[in-house]
Amino acid sequence: MREIRYEKLDETLWRSELDNGLSIYVLPKKGFNKKYAFFAADYGGCDMRFRVDGKWVETPAGIAHYLEHKMFDMPYGSAMNRLTENGASPNAFTSHGITGYLFSCTDGFETNLRTLLEYVSTPYFTEESVEKERGIIGQEIRMGEDNPSRAVMTGLLRALYRTHPVREQIAGTLDSIARIDAGTLYTCHEKFYNPANMVLCCSGDVEPQTVEDIAAEMITAPRGERYVRDYGETDGLLPDRIKEIREMPVGIPLFAAGSKMEYVPGREWTRRLITAQLGCDLLMGASSPLYAEMYAAGLINGSFYSGIMDFPEGAAAVAGGMCAQPGEVMARICTAAEALEPGQNERSRFDRLKKAMMGGLLAGLDSPEELCHSHAERHFDGVLPLEQMDVVEGIGAEEAVSLVKELFAAERMAMSEIVPPGGEA
Amino acid sequence: MSGIERKTVLPGVNLSCVYTDKFKNGLFSAYLMRSLNADDASKNAMLADVLRRGCTSLPDMETIEARLDELYGASVSAVMRQIGETTAVGFSSFFADDRYIGRSEKILESVLSVTGQLLLDPVTRGGMLNSEYVSSEKDNLCDRIRAAVNDKRRYAVTRLRELMCADESYGVNPLGSLEKADKINHVGLTRHYRHVLEHSPLELFYCGGAEPERVEAAVLDAFAAVPRGDTERCDTEVRIDCGQTRTVKEKMDVAQGNLAIGFRLGEIMYNPDYAALSVFSAVFGGSPVSKLFLNVRERMSLCYSVGSSVDRHKGVMIVSAGISPSKYDAATEEIFNQLDKCRRGEITEEELEAARKYVASSLREGADEASVLDSYWLARRMDGTDCTPEELAALAECVSAEKVTEIAESVKTDMIYFLSGEESAE
């Protein structure tokens, strides 16, 4: 394994790539009891349409998430149970971009790591077991439907995008999952769970060489292909629709307002995401005059947030929270964005915000989970977390101001609202 | 590591320090300890939010946040925690360790100073808390009370507590009620604040890489002005018995049904064995190796989510499940069936061992997170023990099946609460 030392942060990253293309990152944390492993595929809720041998293959919404649920089935029974019986806390999740399988433990790490690598590499589905899962996932989908915070974000993404698959719920719908069977799951596992499309990250009280040895022993599949996916047409930066309203039994209305951010591949993507976040902080973060003014006027409360939500080949700049007058809040944000200039005051605020962001990156170093998740995500697209300090250092107030002015220009905004039935709180 | 150094640094002011070099950030918290009761709940719930709006030297949010940005994005959050029938109200701060910033800044001292000022030296006019701040935080509190309904699962548990413990402090919503909140004004809240500051035990906690001596010096500096009178005790009433099991069903426009069942832990609360309680909870419903998870969810697919949690201070256990309304009978029956199995001692060696391991490793892994240690040690203050996570983990590894069965036998069902959609059949 190759050792990369980050002297200022007192961190060491070990990385390697096996001959079959599997990438491995290990970040030992001395003094920790926890041993954490995260095995992820570059395959998430947005990966519904992909090209195989020149032909586009369509799969139903929710397929990556359904696959995640079924991966725990093994010929010997449940991998989940095997891990918990051996003292591990296993879990898995599907985001827009990746599917991650993980466990933490204090003892039995090597056995648990073998179990993890084995079950994620072993598709074992029967029509009967796939059928049984449909009810459980159906309940999960319905539970998500009752969640107003999720609904308000989905509403915004649907208003912004006409074709990007981020419009769909990661878990799919009752209709879309009805079209999933064992055959679909086998196909998707074969296409996306190959070593070249996967990454293993470990952190905590772990030995780098042990991790690499076990991975080499367990992951013997040949290097597979990286299939091209379809993330919709590039339908410009204007929203598809400007407003999306839904009624739900909420005590206080919720809103999310935002715009689309233009995608650029590679390292520049991370830089742009960070620049946009700093721009949002400058415009309407907790230390901005706009935030103070809106809070004092009772327009927003502690639930107000602003920032960047990213997904495969795209991101949205978002402001939202619980609020009775979202139209007024959005108008004030757009007006303030238009008026924002990188004057002396803004520059000194910007320097403070950069300090704050570096503190935020430092905070992430105390969490093996966060270290592993962020390394996995950025491995597939962007700048590795420990190198982001330098990225932050190099960003200037001018570029952040000009980006956030674009992102919160009135014509680019869409608004999603969740209101109580009848429209009154 | 994870040993604790405790010290009474001022009358009624206790400092607990976990000194460790494994973190690159520090955590400091300051809690005023209050008894949960219907008259004060709303006042306590908004107090830290009002104080967080401004102190004499940093009079508004903008200046506070600018100062915190300057301190490398340190956070100082208004926090409220519940431990049995005690409410802890105050601030929790999280900040970069000076050593990794590479400059000679004293972040610890600065953050403690901000925290101390927010708690002790609020913005006042004519000796009263700023009426604008009070009125806007009152509105926010009312919004939070109304918004409680947004999270259906938690709402069902809150309703169960209110109904099951209607004549106990435990039944009081920690946010209070809209009715009480609405009556709060800056004069009344100022009076309450002065009383609370003078008469509440003040619990301070630090976890990070600064030596306890340095932390103590910073604390003495930041909290020197705290007024101290007689401190008022915070106790939690434990009810051993309950009457016949009650059932309450309520309707709301929801897609999923939410079931919450409340239990009293019974006689074992005369002399609670915390390690055994944790293992019992992990065997029955409080873990992914539990009977509820493996049977009600995995084997029988009766629900998407199911879990139990034990409040060791109050002696109450709550099972909560998200179910399809048509599965109400089957799910409740199976939940009780699994509890009966625990009572009959039908616990396999594998189940027991998995539960012990789960409890032990959760405790050890918790010691890797400063925020977990914060709540862990605050709870130990309340039950008066200094048992470290590692010691408790070692005890959990030795809990016997008999001990788990004994707890299950002692458990009594108090109330079944079910929240479901309008269209579902009774």
Side-chain angles (χ1 to χ4, degrees):
Chain A
M1 294 204 91
R2 192 154 64 86
E3 180 184 2
I4 307 169
R5 181 76 192 147
Y6 296 88
E7 212 51 63
K8 232 168 32 182
L9 298 173
D10 188 22
E11 293 287 342
T12 306
L13 170 69
W14 298 79
R15 63 183 295 183
S16 98
E17 187 182 315
L18 300 184
D19 291 339
N20 57 17
L22 178 72
S23 294
I24 303 170
Y25 294 89
V26 182
L27 293 122
K29 299 293 292 178
K30 58 174 186 272
F32 277 60
N33 301 321
K34 180 183 301 190
K35 300 164 170 52
Y36 187 78
F38 185 67
F39 190 28
D42 181 14
Y43 179 55
C46 288
D47 299 309
M48 290 150 54
R49 195 164 183 268
F50 49 94
R51 200 167 62 200
V52 180
D53 301 333
K55 282 190 200 133
W56 286 104
V57 178
E58 309 261 357
T59 55
I63 176 84
H65 174 258
Y66 210 118
L67 184 58
E68 171 221 310
H69 269 239
K70 290 321 295 169
M71 282 317 301
F72 288 95
D73 288 7
M74 288 291 281
Y76 58 72
S78 157
M80 178 81 89
N81 292 356
R82 180 164 284 193
L83 285 164
T84 47
E85 279 159 16
N86 199 45
S89 301
N91 211 337
F93 67 82
T94 308
S95 70
H96 289 297
I98 64 172
T99 311
Y101 300 84
L102 59 96
F103 70 83
S104 66
C105 66
T106 52
D107 297 306
F109 176 74
E110 296 181 20
T111 308
N112 291 329
L113 183 59
R114 284 192 174 87
T115 305
L116 172 75
L117 296 173
E118 183 192 21
Y119 88 80
V120 177
S121 311
T122 311
Y124 177 72
F125 319 121
T126 63
E127 290 304 339
E128 193 193 3
S129 73
V130 172
E131 195 50 49
K132 195 179 143 202
E133 200 70 17
R134 216 179 301 277
I136 293 177
I137 295 175
Q139 282 292 320
E140 189 177 342
I141 291 171
R142 303 204 80 189
M143 195 165 77
E145 284 170 357
D146 282 345
N147 180 336
S149 321
R150 192 185 291 186
V152 78
M153 193 54 75
T154 306
L156 176 64
L157 294 168
R158 292 193 163 208
L160 287 175
Y161 291 93
R162 197 168 55 82
T163 54
H164 195 291
V166 75
R167 291 172 49 85
E168 302 296 332
Q169 295 284 355
I170 291 167
T173 63
L174 294 180
D175 286 342
S176 75
I177 65 165
R179 291 184 275 127
I180 293 171
D181 58 24
T184 354
L185 296 181
Y186 275 112
T187 305
C188 292
H189 185 275
E190 188 210 326
K191 298 287 178 274
F192 294 104
Y193 284 52
N194 76 64
N197 203 51
M198 301 196 76
V199 60
L200 171 65
C201 303
C202 296
S203 182
D205 179 19
V206 290
E207 257 307 312
Q209 197 52 54
T210 310
V211 172
E212 188 187 35
D213 291 347
I214 291 175
E217 168 200 329
M218 301 300 296
I219 306 296
T220 51
R223 177 190 289 271
E225 280 207 41
R226 296 266 289 152
Y227 294 95
V228 173
R229 305 105 197 265
D230 176 13
Y231 296 124
E233 296 154 38
T234 39
D235 38 29
L237 292 174
L238 296 180
D240 184 43
R241 276 165 299 142
I242 56 169
K243 198 149 188 168
E244 177 98 9
I245 297 190
R246 215 183 120 186
E247 289 189 353
M248 287 177 84
V250 289
I252 302 288
L254 277 78
F255 85 104
S259 68
K260 289 188 260 192
M261 205 164 122
E262 195 175 8
Y263 176 70
V264 284
R267 296 179 65 86
E268 183 56 24
W269 184 230
T270 304
R271 189 170 196 281
R272 183 175 288 215
L273 292 172
I274 294 175
T275 307
Q277 181 62 55
L278 284 167
C280 287
D281 293 346
L282 187 68
L283 176 66
M284 59 188 147
S287 61
S288 69
L290 177 61
Y291 184 99
E293 172 201 311
M294 293 196 295
Y295 197 104
L299 283 168
I300 59 169
N301 56 31
S303 71
F304 181 79
Y305 60 87
S306 65
I308 308 302
M309 178 195 177
D310 70 306
F311 35 82
E313 298 193 3
V318 187
M322 288 189 287
C323 170
Q325 295 166 265
E328 175 65 19
V329 170
M330 189 171 104
R332 288 200 190 196
I333 292 171
C334 293
T335 307
E338 206 181 337
L340 192 68
E341 290 301 332
Q344 200 182 354
N345 190 22
E346 283 70 25
R347 281 165 205 277
S348 70
R349 280 178 50 222
F350 191 76
D351 287 340
R352 285 203 304 264
L353 290 168
K354 277 167 66 170
K355 280 185 167 184
M357 184 163 281
M358 289 184 205
L361 291 171
L362 197 67
L365 302 184
D366 283 344
S367 163
E369 292 86 345
E370 199 174 320
L371 276 171
C372 289
H373 299 180
S374 56
H375 274 81
E377 280 184 1
R378 291 306 158 216
H379 166 71
F380 295 118
D381 194 6
V383 177
L384 292 177
L386 295 172
E387 283 157 25
Q388 289 182 16
M389 286 272 190
D390 295 335
V391 175
V392 174
E393 198 91 62
I395 296 172
E398 294 78 8
E399 51 184 323
V401 167
S402 98
L403 182 55
V404 79
K405 282 170 85 81
E406 274 174 41
L407 290 172
F408 288 90
E411 69 275 11
R412 283 182 53 178
M413 303 288 288
M415 164 80 84
S416 159
E417 291 178 51
I418 303 294
V419 296
E424 277 177 47
Chain B
M1 110 101 208
S2 298
I4 188 109
E5 287 198 33
R6 308 260 208 201
K7 194 167 177 183
T8 300
V9 288
L10 291 165
V13 181
N14 304 301
L15 172 64
S16 306
C17 284
V18 174
Y19 174 40
T20 168
D21 64 359
K22 72 189 206 184
F23 298 125
K24 298 198 158 71
N25 299 272
L27 180 146
F28 176 78
S29 59
Y31 299 112
L32 294 159
M33 310 301 286
R34 302 301 301 161
S35 290
L36 179 62
N37 67 68
D39 286 334
D40 292 340
S42 288
K43 283 183 247 174
N44 289 330
M46 67 183 281
L47 185 57
D49 293 308
V50 171
L51 299 176
R52 179 66 175 70
R53 294 292 297 273
C55 55
T56 306
S57 70
L58 303 165
D60 52 38
M61 293 173 86
E62 211 180 325
T63 52
I64 295 170
E65 296 302 330
R67 180 74 185 122
L68 294 176
D69 286 345
E70 185 68 38
L71 295 169
Y72 290 85
S75 64
V76 178
S77 313
V79 175
M80 184 170 71
R81 294 183 187 278
Q82 303 301 320
I83 306 108
E85 290 173 346
T86 300
T87 299
V89 175
F91 296 105
S92 180
S93 318
F94 191 69
F95 46 91
D97 191 311
D98 314 330
R99 288 175 296 174
Y100 302 99
I101 294 306
R103 300 182 180 93
S104 56
E105 308 207 26
K106 296 270 180 229
I107 297 181
L108 170 81
E109 283 75 7
S110 303
V111 171
L112 262 62
S113 165
V114 172
T115 309
Q117 290 175 62
L118 288 172
L119 194 69
L120 306 175
D121 189 21
V123 168
T124 54
R125 265 185 225 157
M128 297 290 161
L129 292 168
N130 181 313
S131 60
E132 277 171 37
Y133 290 174
V134 172
S135 130
S136 90
E137 291 309 328
K138 184 168 93 175
D139 292 345
N140 288 341
L141 174 65
C142 291
D143 283 354
R144 276 160 68 202
I145 295 172
R146 289 193 200 98
V149 68
N150 293 5
D151 181 342
K152 310 300 181 236
R153 181 141 183 216
R154 190 188 278 181
Y155 175 76
V157 170
T158 305
R159 282 296 290 151
L160 169 78
R161 275 177 64 153
E162 281 174 357
L163 295 161
M164 176 172 124
C165 304
D167 63 343
E168 297 161 82
S169 300
Y170 205 63
V172 171
N173 183 336
L175 298 179
S177 62
L178 282 177
E179 195 197 351
K180 298 265 187 198
D182 198 47
K183 294 206 179 81
I184 297 173
N185 60 33
H186 70 292
V187 178
L189 193 68
T190 304
R191 195 181 312 126
H192 181 70
Y193 163 65
R194 303 259 180 243
H195 179 86
V196 164
L197 198 58
E198 189 175 336
H199 296 288
S200 309
L202 178 57
E203 291 296 332
L204 308 177
F205 175 81
Y206 170 77
C207 171
E211 303 77 13
E213 297 73 34
R214 179 178 165 197
V215 179
E216 189 185 337
V219 159
L220 287 172
D221 199 40
F223 290 85
V226 64
R228 292 282 82 186
D230 296 337
T231 49
E232 295 165 353
R233 284 181 60 89
C234 301
D235 292 311
T236 295
E237 178 207 2
V238 176
R239 289 206 183 166
I240 300 300
D241 285 311
C242 55
Q244 286 219 317
T245 303
R246 297 166 287 171
T247 301
V248 178
K249 294 183 177 181
E250 293 187 319
K251 299 284 182 191
M252 194 186 278
D253 180 17
V254 289
Q256 208 189 26
N258 281 278
L259 177 65
I261 308 178
F263 302 85
R264 306 279 176 172
L265 294 180
E267 293 78 14
I268 56 108
M269 284 304 291
Y270 286 125
N271 187 16
D273 176 337
Y274 295 134
L277 262 176
S278 303
V279 174
F280 157 72
S281 177
V283 166
F284 173 56
S287 77
V289 294
S290 68
K291 286 177 177 289
L292 290 188
F293 185 84
L294 294 178
N295 293 289
V296 185
R297 184 186 128 129
E298 296 289 286
R299 185 170 60 83
M300 303 171 81
S301 301
L302 287 170
C303 58
Y304 168 63
S305 58
V306 63
S308 68
S309 63
V310 166
D311 184 328
R312 63 191 252 182
H313 296 93
K314 178 64 183 170
V316 160
M317 174 170 75
I318 294 175
V319 168
S320 130
I323 61 174
S324 158
S326 62
K327 302 268 178 70
Y328 172 82
D329 289 328
T332 41
E333 190 183 320
E334 193 52 32
I335 289 165
F336 290 122
N337 178 34
Q338 294 302 327
L339 183 58
D340 284 337
K341 287 190 174 182
C342 295
R343 287 174 174 140
R344 290 194 301 265
E346 291 174 29
I347 301 163
T348 66
E349 188 51 41
E350 291 75 32
E351 283 176 315
L352 183 66
E353 184 54 23
R356 288 180 188 137
K357 275 188 177 169
Y358 173 81
V359 171
S361 58
S362 301
L363 284 161
R364 290 185 178 121
E365 289 183 24
D368 289 346
E369 279 177 59
S371 61
V372 173
L373 289 171
D374 182 20
S375 46
Y376 178 89
W377 286 112
L378 185 66
R380 296 299 76 75
R381 280 294 301 172
M382 299 313 293
D383 50 44
T385 65
D386 265 352
C387 189
T388 66
E390 177 53 44
E391 287 164 346
L392 199 56
L395 288 173
E397 282 170 332
C398 307
V399 170
S400 66
E402 290 70 34
K403 202 73 204 169
V404 172
T405 299
E406 192 188 313
I407 294 171
E409 283 174 329
S410 169
V411 168
K412 300 164 177 66
T413 313
D414 193 332
M415 182 178 277
I416 302 169
Y417 174 83
F418 188 53
L419 180 71
S420 65
E422 303 288 349
E423 83 287 2
S424 63
E426 279 295 299

